[in-house]
Amino acid sequence: MSTTADHPVEKIGEASAQYVDERLGSNKFLGRNLGKVFPDHWSFMLGEIALYSFIIVLLTGTFLTFFYNPSMVEVIYNGSYVPLKGVQMSEAYASSLNISFEVRGGLLIRQMHHWSALIFVAAMAVHMFRVFFTGAFRKPREFNWLVGVGLTALALGAGFTGYSLPDDLLSGTGLQIIRGILQSIPLVGTWAAFLVFGGEFPGTDIIPRLYAAHILLIPGILLALISVHLMMVWTQKHTQFPGPGRTNDNVVGYPLLPVYMAKAGGFFFIVFGIIALIGGLVTVNPIWIFGPYTPDQVSAGTQPDWYIGWLDGALRLMPNWENVIAGFTISWNVLIPSVIIPGILFTGLALYPFLEAWASGDKREHNLLERPRNAPVRTGIGVAAIVFYGILWIGGGNDVIATTFNLSFNALSWTLRITLIIGPPIAFLITKRICLGLQRKDREKLLHGYESGRVLRLPHGEFIEVHQPLNYKELAVISAKEDLAVLPAPEKTDADGVRNPTYRVDQLRHKLSSWFLRDNITRPTDAEIEAGQAHASHTAALEAPLNEYELQDEDPVGHGGVLHHPGMPMTNQEQIDQRQ
Amino acid sequence: MKFLSARRRNPIVAVILLIAALGAVGITFSAVSNIQPAQAALGTQTQVEEGKKLYLEGCSSCHGLDAQGSMNGPTLIGVGAAAVHFQVATGRMPLAAPGAQAVAKDPIYNEEQVAAMSAYIAALAPGPAIPTAEDLDYSGADVAEGGVLFRINCAQCHQAAGQGGALTAGKYAPNLMESTPQEIYEAMVSGPQSMPVFANETLPIAEKQAITSYIMALQEAPNPGGLSLGRLGPVTEGLFMWVVVFAAFIAAAVWIGIKAR
Amino acid sequence: MTELTSTSPSQEDGHENTPAKLGHSPVAPIPHRLRVTDTDPKAARRAERQVASMFTLSMVFIILAVIAYATIDKFATIYIPVLGEVGTSNVVLGLTFGIAVFLIGAGAIQWAKKLMPDVEVVQERHDMVSEKSDDQLAAAQYERGKDESGFARYKLIRRSLLGALALFPIPLVVVLRDLWITPADSPSPTEILSETLWTSGKRIVSDGTYVPVRPEDLPVGGLVSALPEGIMEVQEEEHNMNARGKATIILVRMDPDQIRSQQGEGWDYNGILAYSKICTHVGCPIALYEQRTHHLLCPCHQSTFDLADSGAVIFGPAARNMPQLPISVDEEGYLIATQDFAQPVGPSFWERDRT
C-alpha cells in the first residue's frame, strides 16, 4: 500500500497489510475489491437478513452445545422447575430445561437461536421471491439460483432437526410423524425407518443422530454453499433495478468501502439487536410447558414450526387414499403430501430458470432486473405457487384457526381442499391480467405522459386533460422494458420435403414461448417515446401560467424534505469535484 | 417369599383370593352406595321442590318434563348434582342459542337456585355429587405428578398448556385458564358435553387434586421467556415472526435504503 | 423540474465519463440533491454527535447487561404491562444486549447515510464468458493433459479406472446397514411392527397410575388411557419406550346398544371397547374422544374415527380403522386382553398387508 499513514494505528495496519501481502499477495485483491460497487435497494437486503440470522444461529448454537446433552437415557429431573420435579425424562430434555432455567442467559440464547432460525428460513423464502419475481435468476445467475434452492432445502432440514432436539412432547410427536412418512415410502420405507431410528420408534438413537446432523453435517454444507453463493454474487456483481444511468453493462451504487461496509455491517448489528430484543421479550417454544416426550401422549394443537407447516397442512388436507397392490401397501395419503408434493415443488424450483430460458429462447446476459409486470406469466406462476403454498400453510394451522374464529375445522378443511385446486389457477389468471393492465398503463405513460387529472379549457373552447411528462426516474424505469419475440413455429418438413426430426420438441417450445410472451404489450420505440413526452410537456406548458404560484411553493426534493431548505441540485460530477 | 410363591398356585388360594376380592368389592360398593344417598340427602325437601319448579320453567322444554330427555337435550336422570352445578353455574345452561356446543357465559341462576336444581336432579337418581371442600383441597398434591396425569388424560383435548383445542364439527375443548378447582372436578366426574367421564375409580380424588394443582400452577405460572403468545405453540410463534419481527427487518432495510435529507 | 426531465435516457449513459475515483465514475449528469449535512456544517456536527452518542449509549447498555447478568436472580419475575409476569433476567438481558447491539447498527447506518458520500458511482460489468485467448489456453491445456496421460490411448486403464471409481463408494453406503444393529436371530421389521406386548390374559392398567382396571371402574362415557401390565418393567429392561409406543390403548365405555359394529365378535366387554391409541395415519397418539358422538379425533392431522362403528374413518387423511383390542375380564374381575391386536398398529408400511 502506498498510502501515507499518519496515525500510529494506521501505521501498524499498513505494516500488517504489507506483511500479509508479501506472503499472500492480498493487496491485489483488496485494491480491486474495496471499491466494489453494490446497488442500493431495500429488497437486496433480504438475502443479508438470511445471512446475518444464520451467523446468529451459529453463534448462539455454539453456546447451546456447551450445555445440551443429546442423550435419550431416562433420568429423573431434579432441576429448579417445580412442575416437572421428579418426572422421568430423557437427558436431552433435562439438559434443555437446564439451559432454560439453570444457565443464566441460557433461555435468552435458546430463544435467540430459535427466533433467528425461524427468521433464517423466512428471509431465505422472501429473498427467493425477490429473485424470482425480478428475473434475477436469468443468465448468468442460474447456478446461484440452484445453490439457493439447495440452501432452502438444507435450511428446512436444519430447522427440523433442531426442532426435534429438546425431546419435548411437541418435538417427539414431530419425529413420530417423520417415522410414519418414512414408512410410507414404497419398497424401502420400512427399512429406512428402522435404519434412521436405529430400530423401532422411538428407540434411543434418533436424538444423537439428529444432533450430529444438526450441528455438523447440515451447518457444514450450509456454510460451504453460502460461501459459494456469495462468491458467485461477488464475481457476477449484483443485479440492479432499471433507473437513470443504469444499464445492462454497468452497476450503479455505493462502493464497498466505506458506504456499503457501514450499511451492511450496520444492518448485521440491527438484525442481531432485534433478534436479541425479541429473544428477551417474546417466548418461543416454551418446552417446559409441553413436558417430556413419551410415545403415548399428545397435546392438542400439535404443530411444527412455520416452515414445515405447509407439509403438515398437506398431510391434513390429503384425501385418505391407500391401495394394496399385489399384497403391498401404498399409502398415497402420506406419500403424496409429504414426499411427492415437496419433491415436485423443489424440482420445479430448481429447473425453473432453465425451463424459462428454453421456452423464451433468451440467451443474453441479464444484469438489469425485470419488473414483475413485464413478465406476466412468470409473475403469475410465482403468485399461483405462493397461493398453493399459502393454502397448505393455512391447513397446517386449521385447528388453531378454527378455535380462534369459532369455525368447524371440518368445514375449513373442505374449503381449503377446494381452494387448493382452484385457487392457484385463478391467482395465475388474475395476476397475469393485472400485469398486462400495468403494461398497458406503462405504454400509455410513455406515449402520452401521465394524466394529471386536471382539465384545461383552451381559449378557443376546447377541453383537454393536462398530461405531464414523466420525470427522468420513471421514464428510465418504464422505458427499460425489453420485448422478446415468440419463437417461430417449426416446419414439419423442410424445403426438400425432409421430415424435421425435432418437430415435436420445437412445436412444444414454440407453444411454451407463445404462452410466455404473446400477450405482452410492446414497448413504444424511442422516437415514439420522445414524441409523446414532448407532447406532454407541451400541454403541461399550456397549464403552467395558471399554476405559477403553486409551482413555486412545491418542494422540488423527491424525498420528503419539507422542513429545511435543501441544497441546490448538482450533478454527481459536480458534487464529486466539489468534495475533492 | 419362597413360602408365598410355593403356595400361590394352590387352587385353594385362588378360591380364598376370589372370596377376598368379592368381599372387597362388596365393602367398596356398600361404602360407595352409602355415600350417595347421604349426599343426595344434603338437598332438603324444600330445595328439591324449589329445584323442580326452576327445572320445569327453565330446562324442561329441552330435557323433558321428567328429565327423561328429548330430541333437543339429553336425559338428566343419573347425571348427578355435579353435572347440574357445572353446567348452570358456568352459565353453559340454559343454552343461549343452538350451536355446536354450549358456551360458558355469565350464569343466569344464583348459587341458591343452582343448589336447588342440583338437589332436584340428584333426587331423581344417584349420580356424581358436588365435591366437598375436602375433595377440592389440592394443597397437599404433587404438582409434577399432576402434570404427568394432565398430559396423559387432559392435554390431548385441552392442549398441553390448558389453552383448549379444536374438536370435530366446530366443537372445542375449552381453555382452562379461568377454570376453578370445583369446575375442573365437576367436569371430570360428570363428563359434560363431548368430554368423557374420568371417574374416581380410575382417576382417584388424590389424582384429581394433583391435576387441579397442575392446572392452577399453569394459570399462575409466569412466562420466564417473555410475552407468552397465548402459549399456543408454533402457529402463533410463526405468525408473530412474520407480522412483527420480519416487518421490523423490512422497515430497517427500507430505512437503510432511503436517502438522507 | 421540467428542464431536468428532458434528459432522455440515451443521454444518461454516463459510463463513458472519466473515472473520478479509483474504478468509479459518477452516474451520468443526472441531478443529485445535496443533504442538509452536505451544505450545513452545523447539521453535519449534529449528525456526528448523534452517531457518536449511539455508539456511546451502546457501551452503556453493554455494561448494564453485564451488571444485570451478575445481579439479577435467575428465578426472579417481574410484571411488565403487555408482556405479563415474565422472567426478569431474560427480559433485562435481552433488552440491554439487544439495544446495545441495535445501537451499533443504527449508528453505523446513520453515519453512512448522513456523513459518508451519498453519490452513487458506476462500475463497468464484463460478460462472464472467458476471453477467446483464455478459452484456447484452457483447450490447449486439456489436450496436453489428455496426451501426456494417455487417457485416450490406454483404453484398458481408462475403463478399469472408471469402474474402480464407480465401485469405491459402495462400502460407504453398505456400512450404513448397521444403523440398526440387529442380532442374528432378530425378527424382521414387519414382525416387530406386528407384535405388541398384549397377549391373552394380559391385564390392562391405567396410564400414569399403573393400577389394573375393573369394568365397574369405568362409567358409560368414561375414558381411560391404558397400557399392558408390566410395561414399566419392560421399559426398564429395554431402556427405551418402544413397547409403550405400540401397546398404548384407550378404553372407552358406551351403552352396548350404541355399538353398531366391532372388528370382532364380542371384542367388547359390556360396552367397554379397547382401541389402539396410535393413529393409523402417521402415528400420533390419539385420545380426543367425544363421549357423545363416540368420535375419536387425531390432533395432528384431524383424522376422525367412529369408535361405535369398528373405529371406522369418518374424516381426514387416515385410511384405516383404528385397530381394536379384544378384551374380557379375568377371574379376579380385572380387564384383560384376550389376544394381541389382529393387525399391526400405527401407520401403514409397505409389507403391512403381507403379514
Side-chain angles (χ1 to χ4, degrees), chain A residues 338-522:
Chain A
S338 59
V339 181
I340 295 177
I341 287 182
I344 291 175
L345 221 72
F346 272 94
T347 314
L349 268 178
L351 294 184
Y352 186 81
F354 306 99
L355 285 176
E356 190 189 300
W358 185 71
S360 65
D362 189 357
K363 291 201 171 71
R364 297 165 303 169
E365 276 196 15
H366 291 281
N367 297 314
L368 267 189
L369 295 173
E370 192 163 24
R371 299 170 83 206
R373 67 184 63 175
N374 290 338
V377 172
R378 178 202 300 146
T379 308
I381 291 173
V383 173
I386 291 176
V387 167
F388 184 79
Y389 178 98
I391 288 165
L392 292 181
W393 195 26
I394 293 172
N398 66 351
D399 49 344
V400 176
I401 294 169
T403 45
T404 311
F405 299 104
N406 286 325
L407 301 167
S408 153
F409 73 73
N410 304 70
L412 192 59
S413 295
W414 271 109
T415 314
L416 291 174
R417 280 175 178 176
I418 294 164
T419 329
L420 188 67
I421 308 292
I422 60 168
I426 292 176
F428 174 82
L429 288 176
I430 293 176
T431 311
K432 194 177 158 195
R433 285 294 131 199
I434 292 175
C435 288
L436 292 173
L438 289 170
Q439 281 193 20
R440 269 187 212 103
K441 172 131 185 138
D442 282 350
R443 188 180 154 87
E444 279 300 300
K445 281 186 181 171
L446 288 178
L447 288 177
H448 306 294
Y450 74 89
E451 298 167 359
S452 66
R454 290 192 292 274
V455 176
L456 199 65
R457 189 180 173 198
L458 298 181
H460 57 274
E462 185 192 349
F463 287 93
I464 59 161
E465 186 182 2
V466 178
H467 279 72
Q468 296 248 331
L470 302 174
N471 74 30
Y472 65 98
K473 274 186 190 155
E474 203 174 1
L475 190 62
V477 170
I478 298 180
S479 60
K481 180 175 188 293
E482 287 181 321
D483 291 328
L484 270 174
V486 175
L487 292 176
E491 299 289 337
K492 250 194 174 132
T493 51
D494 68 9
D496 303 328
V498 179
R499 214 171 54 83
N500 178 356
T502 59
Y503 174 73
R504 283 187 167 199
V505 178
D506 290 347
Q507 182 66 19
L508 174 71
R509 197 174 171 195
H510 160 69
K511 279 189 175 155
L512 269 176
S513 161
S514 160
W515 178 62
F516 202 82
L517 297 167
R518 67 165 173 241
D519 293 327
N520 276 356
I521 313 296
T522 36

Side-chain angles (χ1 to χ4, degrees), chain A residues 132-274:
Chain A
F132 182 84
F133 286 114
T134 58
F137 55 80
R138 292 174 298 172
K139 189 182 171 188
R141 296 183 176 77
E142 300 96 325
F143 291 164
N144 227 6
W145 171 264
L146 276 184
V147 172
V149 173
L151 283 170
T152 313
L154 281 168
L156 297 188
F160 188 82
T161 50
Y163 171 87
S164 306
L165 290 182
D167 203 21
D168 60 316
L169 193 50
L170 210 53
S171 68
T173 310
L175 285 177
Q176 203 153 10
I177 296 171
I178 291 293
R179 193 269 300 229
I181 292 171
L182 283 173
Q183 280 191 9
S184 79
I185 299 170
L187 196 63
V188 297
T190 316
W191 269 90
F194 271 72
L195 291 184
V196 167
F197 285 91
E200 215 178 337
F201 179 84
T204 50
D205 291 337
I206 188 67
I207 294 276
R209 285 177 186 176
L210 288 176
Y211 188 59
H214 183 73
I215 69 159
L216 180 72
L217 190 63
I218 298 176
I221 306 173
L222 270 174
L223 261 178
L225 284 186
I226 287 174
S227 313
V228 172
H229 202 65
L230 293 178
M231 277 157 63
M232 284 204 241
V233 171
W234 197 272
T235 333
Q236 294 175 332
K237 297 198 175 80
H238 206 288
T239 50
Q240 59 189 353
F241 279 105
R246 286 144 214 255
T247 70
N248 206 31
D249 305 318
N250 69 9
V251 49
V252 177
Y254 297 109
L256 180 67
L257 196 73
V259 177
Y260 203 75
M261 207 171 252
K263 282 192 168 182
F267 195 40
F268 167 72
F269 284 101
I270 282 181
V271 170
F272 202 164
I274 291 178

Side-chain angles (χ1 to χ4, degrees), chain C residues 223-244:
Chain C
L223 164 75
V224 173
S225 283
L227 289 161
E229 189 171 42
I231 180 74
M232 291 310 269
E233 287 73 28
V234 174
Q235 242 169 261
E236 211 95 310
E237 195 181 307
E238 294 183 350
H239 298 292
N240 62 41
M241 293 197 280
N242 300 357
R244 176 183 285 259

Side-chain angles (χ1 to χ4, degrees), chain A residues 308-321:
Chain A
I308 305 286
W310 63 291
L311 290 174
D312 211 40
L315 275 168
R316 287 179 180 195
L317 298 184
M318 182 69 200
N320 62 342
W321 301 338

Side-chain angles (χ1 to χ4, degrees), chain A residues 85 111 281 283 285 299-300 304 409-410, chain B residues 144 155 160 167 169 225-227 234 237:
Chain A
K85 219 166 193 149
Q111 298 201 134
L281 297 178
T283 309
N285 198 17
S299 164
F409 73 73
N410 304 70
Chain B
L167 297 177
L227 184 68
E237 287 162 9

